[in-house]
Amino acid sequence: MSSKPMQETIGYQMVLVSRAHRHLVSTALAELGLYLGQEILLMYLWQEDGLTQSELVERMEVEPPTLTKMLNRMERCGLLKRCQCPQDARSYEVYLTEAGQALQQPVTQIWHEVENRIVANLTLEERLLFRRLLMQVRNNLT
């Protein structure tokens, strides 16, 4: 066992970075009337509108009840609609409304602004290395 205090571990630093990122993104999204995580769902639908709820669960790596709660809230806000799947009456496809489509530019801008803050003062080489290392760490954890 390491004698290093927990506050000096990489894991602890990851927690601090994650909290800071979540706070920054959630504050910016709140100005658009969105909750943290909803932008991820929107991103998948901007790429491929009409995904089924099960496809969204798989892509977002969330539990079905979590997605259902998110969809209910976003449907009430008029950002999306669910339609019964023509091939399988037990499944629902999720489609963006005009209001959901209209959020693509401002949400994308938020993510780019956050990205710029994340990599500020890093060289191009450091940015590429940082991204590769993050991907490797995620791979290690999954």
Side-chain angles (χ1 to χ4, degrees):
M1 175 147 54
S2 174
S3 61
K4 183 188 320 185
M6 285 178 51
Q7 292 86 347
E8 293 179 17
T9 64
I10 291 171
Y12 184 75
Q13 290 303 312
M14 287 174 49
V15 168
L16 296 179
V17 167
S18 179
R19 282 184 188 164
H21 181 268
R22 289 176 61 87
H23 176 72
L24 190 62
V25 173
S26 70
T27 301
L29 290 174
E31 293 178 18
L32 299 176
L34 293 173
Y35 291 94
L36 192 64
Q38 290 179 336
E39 84 284 13
I40 303 299
L41 188 148
L42 289 170
M43 286 179 195
Y44 283 112
L45 294 176
W46 292 326
Q47 290 173 349
E48 187 178 347
D49 205 15
L51 291 171
T52 64
Q53 289 184 215
S54 60
E55 288 170 329
L56 285 166
V57 162
E58 184 178 317
R59 291 179 192 197
M60 293 178 65
E61 299 179 26
V62 296
E63 295 297 318
T66 301
L67 180 70
T68 299
K69 183 177 178 182
M70 187 181 296
L71 291 173
N72 289 340
R73 176 178 273 167
M74 294 175 77
E75 196 167 32
R76 281 193 306 272
C77 292
L79 299 176
L80 53 85
K81 61 184 176 184
R82 288 179 274 194
C83 301
Q84 205 166 30
C85 182
Q87 296 85 6
D88 181 359
R90 299 170 296 165
S91 295
Y92 285 87
E93 296 171 334
V94 182
Y95 293 92
L96 292 167
T97 62
E98 284 186 33
Q101 290 285 359
L103 288 170
Q104 185 171 5
Q105 189 279 329
V107 169
T108 301
Q109 182 177 339
I110 287 169
W111 273 81
H112 288 296
E113 288 170 3
V114 170
E115 176 90 0
N116 288 337
R117 281 192 66 180
I118 291 169
V119 298
N121 303 316
L122 297 179
T123 66
L124 176 60
E125 293 79 19
E126 290 169 332
R127 292 172 188 203
L128 293 171
L129 176 61
F130 183 57
R131 184 176 187 280
R132 186 181 67 72
L133 291 172
L134 285 174
M135 292 168 60
Q136 182 60 53
V137 168
R138 182 174 187 268
N139 190 43
N140 291 347
L141 296 174
T142 58

